[in-house]
Amino acid sequence: MADKAMDRIAKATPPGITKRVRGLSDRTIAWIFVAPSIFLLLAVNIFPLIWTIRLSFTNFRVNRINADVKWVGLRNYERILNDPDIWQTMQATAHFLIWTIFFQVLIGFTLAYLINKKFRGNDMWTTIIVLPMMLSPAVVGNFWTFLYQPQIGLFNYVVSFFSGVDPASFSMIGSVNLAPWAIVIVDTWMWTPFVMLICLAGLRSIPGSIYEAAECDRASKWRQFWTITIPMVLPFLMMAVLFRGIENFKMFDLVVQLTGGGPGSATEVTSINLKREAFEKWRTGYASAYAVILFVTIFGLASIYVKALNKVKER
Amino acid sequence: MKTSNLMMATAMATISAFAATGASAESMTLCWAAWDPANALVELSKDFESKTGVNMEFEFVPWPNFADRMLNELNSGGKLCDLMIGDSQWIGGAAENGQYLKLNDFFDANGISMDDFLPATVTGYAEWPKGTPNYWALPAYADVVGWTYRKDWFSRPELQKEFKGKYGYDLGIPADLSQLKDIAEFFQGRDIDGKTVYGAAIYTERGSEGITMGVTNALYNYGFEYGNPENPYAELDGYVNSDGAVAGLEYYKSLYDCCTPPGSSDWYMSEDIDAYKSGQVALQMNFAFIWPGVNADPNVGGDHTGYFANPPGPAGHYAQLGGQGISVVANTEHKDAALEYIKWFAQPEIQARWTEMGGASALRAVVEDPAFPDAQPYNKAFLESMAIVKDFWAEPSYASLLLAMQDRVHKYVVAGQGTAKEALDGLVKDWTEVFQDEGKI
């Protein structure tokens, strides 16, 4: 049937076209298809990367187009690596990254484990749980600033209800000690459903026969969990950690909406700091060096992680 | 025959359409921040449109993104704006980088004299280098930081009695910054009409320029200076971080710690307005542009509110300058029309109408009119404030200087990191680095 259809199409194709197409080698046709993508990749990714690396060795400022651009060698890199403020933003980023991933994996996996059980209203609960991740980060940031408001915010009242402290006595986004946790809570609220969905996919991919075999061998539920569930869900979990890690390393919108990087620089993550250097202070050369350092860091960490992920998959 | 008629008619219609397009009005764009005065300017500009036939378009950007958006536009050589009402601090960069047209010859040719404008606004909005007769803008909107207070609360006999008993003087407009803190402290956490209220809404914002625009009102009056006036770039030490400056910064922190509403760690103009209008605070620090809106507010307007200039401190009496000048963007393709707009805007009758409609003229003929001080309840405070203004750096590197100050001051005042001395020493270091990068020292 399919052959007949192909024959019909071949007959219907004008001879001129067939000739022209026949005149091209497979390799040429492949290049024709791939060339636009390669061109775009070079124009949008590779060229800017090379240009950024070049700028990182200069004192170029984009707001002084007419000024002389001097070659400063490694000075920008040296200043960045010796700047205690930059290290503080790195620490703020690490705090945000580690704790959000920890809570999202813990809560996401627990929710997935519970949702995976058959119970009435299962679909409805799944839908409700994934709602936060469908919202815009700007909207989420904005309404959480109201929830965190000391005088009228629901969050402070809930804490006050359970702990008895005066709700106006603490400010989640105005306190140096609490603000880093305030952004962790919001990101966890928003993105735990994403981790849950990935874990759920992992849990549902485990064949029931493996558990049945374990039951026959009289393995306890605890043992089944540690020797079947966790190892088989692990590649999915690691994938979720990779996605969330990359996303949170470049976190910008949510934190800007919530705290703007403050108070002080308690929540100034690297992306906010980089934006300030590049587009507020206009230190283009310096910001380029900063971007290169971050790129190398993310690329290096991601490469190591992907290797580990592949090893886990092979097991 | 019919066909040829039809063709003729079509040809005529096409020609008239093209002719109409060719003769259509010239169009140009004015860029400014999105706020009430900008809406007033749209109304005012209708007069210019009707007189010249030039069609005015407007690009207004909300304050938090205003500098980012417009400086990007200038730096990238964009052609969006023909006229720019830019912040006073941009003038150095815009002049040195050739982004604004120099207006001296135009002013001379059209009889526009800078002597006709308030001197502080000419220095602040139009001159670069400062103190030299090189003009890059026409003062467009005069603004300054001042204070509003709850006159209705202040006039309650029971509160007056309690205040006098506690502080030994009458509750009223503070005579100095120390009294201002007493008043704020007095109202902090007080129950008024069954509602907890707080002392003062002050600027603490970190992301753009907020805390700098606030803290300078204390720093100037305690002795802070932007370097040695004789040698400002090289001699910052001992001026920026003088004992007076340290005391001024400590004062601002103590005001923040004792007397502001909970959660006010990142407040600027709009948050201060909201807190005041919702009846949360007794005192509000803010630019004078908000005063007409406060006066018209159904809850706190009219007799409920009074206005006063930033009180003096131990070392002087100053207030932070706000406001902007109007400039012609060097890249414009409508240079003649843009200059025509400035000529039209500088006329005394237009300036008077500008103030009536919600603008704030800097023309002396308007603000020195004998009827002006009593025309609005806030006009006296405005005049008093405009006489004591001081402005932040307007260097081409103002953004770096501003961010350094935002960072150092916010970390000390709001986050409580380090001491006032350390914050200002750090600022000296940062500013020195910026000037070294600039090649100024």
Side-chain angles (χ1 to χ4, degrees):
Chain A
M1 192 68 183
D3 289 345
K4 280 181 184 172
M6 291 301 282
D7 289 345
R8 277 206 308 274
I9 293 166
K11 277 177 192 166
T13 307
I17 290 177
T18 42
K19 254 187 191 172
R20 278 201 301 277
V21 174
R22 274 185 199 142
L24 298 173
S25 67
D26 286 353
R27 197 178 172 79
T28 312
I29 291 169
W31 269 109
I32 288 171
F33 282 124
V34 174
S37 305
I38 290 180
F39 175 74
L40 268 179
L41 191 72
L42 286 172
V44 178
N45 282 358
I46 308 299
F47 172 72
L49 179 65
I50 293 167
W51 196 252
T52 304
I53 293 170
R54 182 185 164 274
L55 287 179
S56 72
F57 296 108
T58 69
N59 68 346
F60 177 64
R61 282 169 180 261
V62 79
N63 64 339
R64 312 265 171 80
I65 300 289
N66 300 327
D68 287 343
V69 179
K70 285 182 196 156
W71 185 264
V72 295
L74 291 170
R75 193 172 136 218
N76 287 331
Y77 289 90
E78 198 185 312
R79 278 169 84 169
I80 290 165
L81 295 173
N82 289 314
D83 186 344
D85 289 344
I86 299 263
W87 285 107
Q88 203 174 334
T89 64
M90 294 282 189
Q91 275 177 25
T93 310
H95 179 277
F96 177 69
L97 201 66
I98 291 166
W99 286 108
T100 48
I101 289 175
F102 173 74
F103 286 123
Q104 285 169 27
V105 166
L106 188 72
I107 303 170
F109 181 79
T110 309
L111 285 173
Y113 197 75
L114 294 173
I115 289 285
N116 196 36
K117 308 282 176 203
K118 296 282 172 227
F119 62 90
R120 197 190 250 181
N122 182 304
D123 292 343
M124 185 192 74
W125 280 110
T126 309
T127 309
I128 290 172
I129 290 168
V130 300
L131 276 178
M133 62 178 263
M134 295 176 185
L135 299 171
S136 147
V139 173
V140 170
N142 213 0
F143 78 66
W144 270 90
T145 57
F146 289 109
L147 293 178
Y148 281 144
Q149 224 284 330
Q151 293 150 72
I152 54 163
L154 189 65
F155 184 88
N156 281 34
Y157 271 93
V158 170
V159 172
S160 164
F161 181 79
F162 287 109
S163 65
V165 297
D166 177 10
S169 67
F170 66 99
S171 170
M172 286 299 290
I173 52 179
S175 153
V176 176
N177 297 325
L178 295 178
W181 293 106
I183 58 173
V184 168
I185 290 170
V186 178
D187 192 76
T188 302
W189 176 82
M190 189 172 178
W191 289 109
T192 294
F194 174 76
V195 178
M196 182 198 84
L197 286 179
I198 293 182
C199 291
L200 197 57
L203 287 168
R204 289 191 177 161
S205 71
I206 303 173
S209 54
I210 299 181
Y211 288 110
E212 283 163 17
E215 292 279 346
C216 291
D217 290 342
R218 293 187 179 178
S220 67
K221 290 283 178 197
W222 184 246
R223 192 168 169 81
Q224 286 176 32
F225 177 78
W226 283 108
T227 53
I228 300 171
T229 310
I230 291 289
M232 297 202 74
V233 175
L234 195 59
F236 291 85
L237 260 179
M238 287 183 75
M239 196 68 86
V241 168
L242 181 69
F243 287 150
R244 291 309 307 146
I246 292 171
E247 275 295 305
N248 280 359
F249 202 94
K250 57 191 175 74
M251 173 55 68
F252 183 81
D253 39 13
L254 194 67
V255 180
V256 164
Q257 280 294 325
L258 271 170
T259 63
S265 52
T267 58
E268 185 160 308
V269 289
T270 45
S271 54
I272 296 179
N273 193 245
L274 179 58
K275 185 252 178 188
R276 285 162 71 89
E277 293 294 341
F279 301 111
E280 291 178 20
K281 295 183 185 174
W282 302 104
R283 299 162 80 185
T284 316
Y286 181 88
S288 299
Y290 196 173
V292 170
I293 289 173
L294 290 182
F295 171 75
V296 170
T297 310
I298 297 177
F299 191 77
L301 289 176
S303 303
I304 295 167
Y305 191 84
V306 168
K307 272 192 179 172
L309 178 63
N310 288 337
K311 274 188 184 168
V312 169
K313 273 185 185 169
E314 282 164 13
R315 267 193 285 170
Chain B
M1 188 67 186
K2 270 185 182 175
T3 314
S4 64
N5 279 348
L6 189 65
M7 282 175 70
M8 182 73 85
T10 312
M12 291 296 282
T14 313
I15 290 165
S16 4
F18 275 108
T21 313
S24 71
E26 188 179 359
S27 188
M28 67 173 174
T29 304
L30 185 151
C31 297
W32 200 10
W35 57 333
D36 288 346
N39 300 330
L41 190 65
V42 173
E43 286 304 308
L44 185 73
S45 297
K46 285 177 181 166
D47 178 73
F48 174 76
E49 288 180 314
S50 69
K51 282 178 180 159
T52 60
V54 174
N55 179 40
M56 290 298 294
E57 286 174 10
F58 297 91
E59 180 74 19
F60 297 149
V61 179
W63 273 113
N65 310 104
F66 178 56
D68 271 6
R69 172 77 183 84
M70 291 306 163
L71 290 175
N72 265 327
E73 181 65 27
L74 291 175
N75 292 332
S76 62
K79 290 188 182 292
L80 172 69
C81 311
D82 301 294
L83 286 160
M84 172 77 77
I85 304 188
D87 248 345
S88 53
Q89 297 97 340
W90 304 357
I91 200 95
E96 290 196 9
N97 296 320
Q99 293 159 346
Y100 286 169
L101 282 188
K102 192 173 180 184
L103 298 172
N104 286 52
D105 293 343
F106 169 74
F107 286 166
D108 292 343
N110 289 280
I112 298 170
S113 168
M114 285 294 105
D115 294 340
D116 294 339
F117 290 84
L118 292 173
T121 63
V122 175
T123 308
Y125 311 154
E127 285 177 3
W128 187 260
K130 296 290 174 200
T132 66
N134 294 290
Y135 306 120
W136 305 87
L138 179 90
Y141 190 90
D143 205 358
V144 58
V145 172
W147 294 83
T148 52
Y149 70 100
R150 288 300 297 266
K151 209 171 167 182
D152 51 345
W153 296 354
F154 277 43
S155 59
R156 291 186 183 190
E158 72 279 11
L159 294 181
Q160 287 184 335
K161 194 177 162 198
E162 191 186 332
F163 185 87
K164 179 120 188 196
K166 192 171 178 188
Y167 296 101
Y169 59 91
D170 290 332
L171 176 60
I173 291 177
D176 56 30
L177 285 171
S178 141
Q179 287 192 6
L180 185 135
K181 193 183 155 201
D182 289 346
I183 295 168
E185 198 174 45
F186 177 73
F187 280 101
Q188 181 75 4
R190 182 166 290 273
D191 190 289
I192 290 189
D193 302 332
K195 193 175 157 190
T196 304
V197 304
Y198 302 94
I202 62 173
Y203 292 164
T204 54
E205 187 256 5
R206 172 182 186 273
S208 59
E209 57 172 19
I211 199 165
T212 301
M213 295 294 110
V215 76
T216 45
N217 293 284
L219 292 178
Y220 296 153
N221 295 348
Y222 273 82
F224 168 96
E225 280 186 84
Y226 291 105
N228 180 352
E230 304 297 316
N231 189 13
Y233 306 123
E235 285 184 51
L236 300 171
D237 198 24
Y239 294 88
V240 170
N241 55 353
S242 63
D243 291 345
V246 170
L249 187 54
E250 282 169 348
Y251 167 84
Y252 200 75
K253 178 169 174 53
S254 69
L255 185 64
Y256 171 73
D257 287 342
C258 81
C259 315
T260 54
S264 59
S265 56
D266 198 21
W267 282 16
Y268 196 22
M269 296 181 270
S270 58
E271 290 82 5
D272 281 18
I273 297 171
D274 290 344
Y276 188 77
K277 284 188 175 174
S278 62
Q280 275 188 66
V281 289
L283 297 159
Q284 178 202 186
M285 162 191 275
N286 223 326
F287 282 108
F289 82 86
I290 65 139
W291 292 352
V294 169
N295 189 41
D297 189 83
N299 298 320
V300 298
D303 289 340
H304 295 285
T305 290
Y307 310 84
F308 61 90
N310 188 44
H317 192 193
Y318 301 98
Q320 175 59 46
L321 180 72
Q324 300 92 28
I326 182 166
S327 303
V328 177
V329 177
N331 254 354
T332 179
E333 287 167 354
H334 307 280
K335 183 179 159 188
D336 292 341
L339 290 170
E340 191 61 31
Y341 186 92
I342 290 194
K343 186 179 163 188
W344 164 83
F345 188 67
Q347 297 171 89
E349 62 272 21
I350 299 298
Q351 288 285 310
R353 214 183 309 158
W354 172 223
T355 296
E356 277 166 28
M357 292 174 78
S361 173
L363 192 72
R364 292 171 67 171
V366 174
V367 296
E368 290 174 1
D369 184 310
F372 182 79
D374 297 319
Q376 295 293 345
Y378 42 80
N379 280 2
K380 276 183 193 155
F382 174 75
L383 286 177
E384 229 180 283
S385 301
M386 286 307 296
I388 55 168
V389 291
K390 217 179 207 189
D391 200 7
F392 188 74
W393 294 106
E395 297 294 314
S397 56
Y398 102 92
S400 301
L401 299 165
L402 178 67
L403 285 173
M405 182 149 182
Q406 284 285 110
D407 195 43
R408 295 284 179 184
V409 170
H410 186 91
K411 275 183 182 162
Y412 169 67
V413 173
V414 176
Q417 292 171 1
T419 64
K421 177 78 176 131
E422 284 165 1
L424 293 176
D425 286 348
L427 188 58
V428 169
K429 183 176 153 271
D430 293 345
W431 283 0
T432 304
E433 227 169 74
V434 173
F435 289 131
Q436 277 169 347
D437 280 355
E438 284 279 296
K440 299 232 166 178
I441 46 177

